[in-house]
Amino acid sequence: MAGPAGACAHGPGPGPHPAPASLAAAPKKVRVLLRHVFPEHEPLLGRSVGFTVKAVENPVHYLRVLEALERFAQGDELDDSITKHLLGRKLVARNEDAEEWWPSMWSGFQPLHMADDFHAPGISRPNASQLRVMQAAVGQPFSLIQGPPGTGKTATIANLVYFFRSEGLRVLLSAPSNVAVSNLCGRVSASGLDVLWMESEAREFVSSPYKHLTFLEKAKAAFPKARAILANRQRPSYHEDSKETYADTKYLQQLREYYLRNAAIVAATLSSSAAFANKYDVVIIDEATQSTDPEALVALLHGPSRVIMVGDHMQLGPVVMSDQAVAAGLNRSLFERLIRMGGKPLRLDIQYRMHPAISAFPAATFYEGTLQDGVTAAERHKPGLKFSWPDPRKPLMFYADTGTETTSWSKVSFLNRSEARKVIQVLGLFLQQGIKPEDIGVISPYDAQCQYIREALAQQDTQLARACKQVDVASVDSFQGSERDIIILSTVRSRSVGFLSDARRLNVAITRARFGLVIVGNVGLLSRVRQLARAWAWAWGGCACSLVEF
């Protein structure tokens, strides 16, 4: 936070922060703790009015990325074969006449063999595609695993971790987001393995279903002194700069180092992995296509002899706000860069999420027709649902709308009130049919449309409307990695196609649904998008519906 003349401040102090609603209800007083005050700012502290509190970017993440780049440039902290892969150097040509071949850069590397009947306890047995990919990955030092929607990449990672532990190897699990790391921890721990989640202490009071796997929770459970220290942190009188708290911090740091030394499986976000220097035999990065190139380096500098990056470059990549950085290529992940340089990913090619009618278009358009269905139409049919799909064999509908887009108050996003009304209408029909609110997702490429729909739902006062309020309404970008039985997509635009002209965003938008997909939008406009035009003519032919027909 920023106080007067740039003084740094934090508020409202340690402990869970009040929800935005509670702040709005009582905005008169906010307690602010100034951590860094320069002498020239001290006279300002005598004032009782005229202060501004402003959120500013935390530089820690960027400093960690910069340090990783500097260390990588020194060239002595990574295994040579890993370095060559990161730089995109080609493997030597395979000798087809030889019974076996081995690239010269892999000299000294010991490949591992995974049996055909391998599977980890508590994890779904790998299908043929997953087994093929895992067997290839354990036999080479560097692997890119492409996981299209619904292909079980998290289960594949969990099986790989169990295999590596059975071989006595230490594993670092990482991902760009805490949500992804939490999911990894949960899936790996389901196999009976002990995982140490090195969650940032800034998230001490953030809930998670796998919070018990974090260092702080493990320390509280095992050490009464740690439990007392962490309880003391929640007191209003707690001060970080006292002698007592300094000793407490040192004690927790020693505990932290003890846990890290003894943990065979450690999980952390890419950024948080910079907070410890322990070495690991294997580094596995999930959601690798959602991190920038240098962000991935932070986790890779833990000395692995094996690296596995898992992601899907046909879905959304990292978010980069700077136009200059985008022009320089920072919005291209390491995963995608290596593929563009000729790398061949190991692709998981059996999907278990979508009804075959929904998966047909992305399979043909984004995955060269190689994506197969592991579920049948009968398995993706909801008994009792009598929704009027235009083609009863296909749970797909394009609900035509000719409403006009408008810009949001911020002038950086768009909304379409006509589309919003149709979204709420369709949502109501699904709820009347007995679909649970938590099984429905409403998504849009534009935050302003999501906000408008949320506000419109909040104004409803019927029992059905109250159920609507439990439905998750979110942007397409934030919904990546999630799924729902029913997805309603509002495309918003009426003058230009906008965000859906990005093929990767389109892919994410239409692959979130398991049982049914409704798209609300301007048919004439969206048919200008090459991929959507193909979908219209082929996969979804006859699945359109106008207001009158509906």
Side-chain angles (χ1 to χ4, degrees):
M1 312 289 279
C8 295
H10 292 266
H17 289 191
S22 63
L23 284 175
K28 295 181 179 179
K29 291 185 178 180
V30 176
R31 186 169 67 89
V32 177
L33 173 64
L34 298 175
R35 295 190 184 277
H36 305 289
V37 180
F38 294 99
E40 60 266 30
H41 297 147
E42 290 179 358
L44 297 173
L45 300 182
R47 293 166 49 181
S48 59
V49 295
F51 287 88
T52 299
V53 179
K54 181 176 67 175
V56 296
E57 194 73 53
N58 188 332
V60 172
H61 170 77
Y62 302 102
L63 292 173
R64 287 170 170 174
V65 171
L66 182 60
E67 181 185 5
L69 285 168
E70 292 172 344
R71 289 170 59 190
F72 179 73
Q74 294 171 4
D76 56 358
E77 294 197 49
L78 272 173
D79 183 278
D80 186 53
S81 66
I82 302 299
T83 300
K84 290 179 179 178
H85 277 89
L86 294 178
L87 296 176
R89 297 180 183 175
K90 303 294 185 181
L91 299 178
V92 298
R94 176 175 177 174
N95 182 354
E96 298 291 349
D97 297 328
E99 293 184 4
E100 295 183 354
W101 68 285
W102 204 250
S104 59
M105 68 167 64
W106 293 2
S107 59
F109 175 79
Q110 295 298 317
L112 300 174
H113 173 74
M114 179 182 287
D116 292 342
D117 60 351
F118 169 81
H119 80 281
I123 308 297
S124 56
R125 185 180 292 273
N127 60 36
S129 170
Q130 294 165 344
L131 182 64
R132 169 182 53 79
V133 165
M134 290 192 298
Q135 288 177 328
V138 302
Q140 57 194 33
F142 193 97
S143 300
L144 301 174
I145 297 180
Q146 184 183 7
T151 52
K153 64 182 181 66
T154 308
T156 300
I157 291 173
N159 272 304
L160 281 168
V161 173
Y162 193 89
F163 174 82
F164 285 129
R165 281 304 302 136
S166 70
E167 296 291 329
L169 302 181
R170 301 183 74 220
V171 181
L172 172 62
L173 291 169
S174 195
S177 69
N178 283 287
V179 172
V181 173
S182 176
N183 291 337
L184 286 174
C185 289
R187 190 63 68 92
V188 171
S189 66
S191 68
L193 293 175
D194 186 25
V195 183
L196 175 63
W197 179 6
M198 295 307 299
E199 186 183 36
S200 168
E201 291 192 14
R203 290 175 50 86
E204 180 180 348
F205 304 105
V206 178
S207 62
S208 166
Y210 307 110
K211 198 74 173 181
H212 61 285
L213 299 175
T214 64
F215 157 66
L216 289 179
E217 292 300 316
K218 286 176 180 282
K220 284 196 292 186
F223 297 92
K225 182 176 179 179
R227 187 158 56 248
I229 291 172
L230 295 170
N232 188 43
R233 281 185 178 184
Q234 301 184 49
R235 297 177 181 175
S237 59
Y238 177 79
H239 294 289
E240 288 188 359
D241 296 329
S242 69
K243 292 182 178 180
E244 180 184 1
T245 55
Y246 176 79
D248 291 345
T249 300
K250 185 176 181 180
Y251 174 77
L252 289 177
Q253 179 64 27
Q254 291 171 340
L255 267 187
R256 186 173 177 274
E257 293 171 356
Y258 166 79
Y259 273 94
L260 282 167
R261 281 196 307 271
N262 290 280
I265 305 172
V266 174
T269 62
L270 296 172
S271 180
S272 293
S273 70
F276 51 92
N278 305 68
K279 301 300 183 182
Y280 299 91
D281 303 301
V282 184
V283 170
I284 301 177
I285 300 178
D286 192 16
E287 292 187 348
T289 49
Q290 294 184 54
S291 66
T292 64
D293 206 323
E295 282 174 334
L297 284 180
V298 179
L300 296 178
L301 290 171
H302 283 275
S305 57
R306 287 175 165 83
V307 171
I308 298 176
M309 305 186 73
V310 185
D312 183 9
H313 58 293
M314 297 309 299
Q315 298 186 62
L316 289 167
V319 177
V320 177
M321 304 304 294
S322 166
D323 293 338
Q324 185 177 3
V326 170
L330 189 63
N331 64 330
R332 184 177 303 146
S333 67
L334 172 61
F335 190 105
E336 183 180 2
R337 176 172 65 79
L338 293 178
I339 288 177
R340 289 188 175 215
M341 296 179 72
K344 300 295 183 183
L346 304 166
R347 180 183 290 173
L348 301 170
D349 57 19
I350 302 178
Q351 72 86 19
Y352 295 90
R353 174 184 297 168
M354 297 167 278
H355 186 291
I358 300 174
S359 68
F361 167 59
T365 305
F366 304 112
Y367 302 106
E368 299 88 37
T370 63
L371 190 60
Q372 307 170 51
D373 295 314
V375 291
T376 64
E379 292 173 312
R380 285 295 174 264
H381 171 72
K382 273 195 171 295
L385 178 60
K386 298 179 181 179
F387 191 81
S388 299
W389 301 110
D391 184 340
R393 300 167 301 173
K394 300 177 180 180
L396 298 159
M397 187 177 79
F398 203 119
Y399 194 177
D401 179 80
T402 56
T404 303
E405 68 182 51
T406 58
T407 56
S408 65
W409 65 269
S410 65
K411 305 300 182 183
V412 296
S413 190
F414 295 88
L415 63 146
N416 188 316
R417 293 175 176 83
S418 176
E419 279 193 21
R421 287 192 292 270
K422 287 184 172 64
V423 166
I424 294 173
Q425 178 189 11
V426 173
L427 175 58
L429 290 172
F430 280 120
L431 292 170
Q432 288 173 350
Q433 290 288 318
I435 304 297
K436 297 178 181 178
E438 59 268 27
D439 292 335
I440 304 174
V442 175
I443 60 176
S444 173
Y446 297 95
D447 288 331
Q449 181 75 343
C450 295
Q451 182 62 29
Y452 182 81
I453 292 172
R454 290 190 203 102
E455 292 173 354
L457 292 175
Q459 294 172 5
Q460 310 296 315
D461 196 31
T462 64
Q463 183 176 357
L464 183 63
R466 285 192 289 273
C468 288
K469 297 173 187 177
Q470 302 174 43
V471 174
D472 198 1
V473 181
S475 69
V476 172
D477 294 44
S478 65
F479 223 79
Q480 178 160 307
S482 300
E483 62 180 53
R484 294 292 186 274
D485 287 356
I486 303 294
I487 288 290
I488 305 171
L489 168 65
S490 174
T491 60
V492 177
R493 302 304 294 271
S494 61
R495 297 189 181 95
S496 63
V497 174
F499 282 158
L500 283 184
S501 60
D502 183 337
R504 296 182 299 180
R505 183 170 284 106
L506 174 62
N507 186 26
V508 172
I510 63 178
T511 55
R512 303 303 97 197
R514 301 175 70 236
F515 288 85
L517 172 65
V518 177
I519 301 178
V520 182
N522 187 306
V523 175
L525 177 68
L526 293 175
S527 62
R528 300 177 194 172
V529 181
R530 180 173 57 86
Q531 290 93 343
L532 275 176
R534 289 182 57 194
W536 189 262
W538 176 61
W540 298 338
C543 293
C545 181
S546 69
L547 176 60
V548 175
E549 293 168 335
F550 192 71

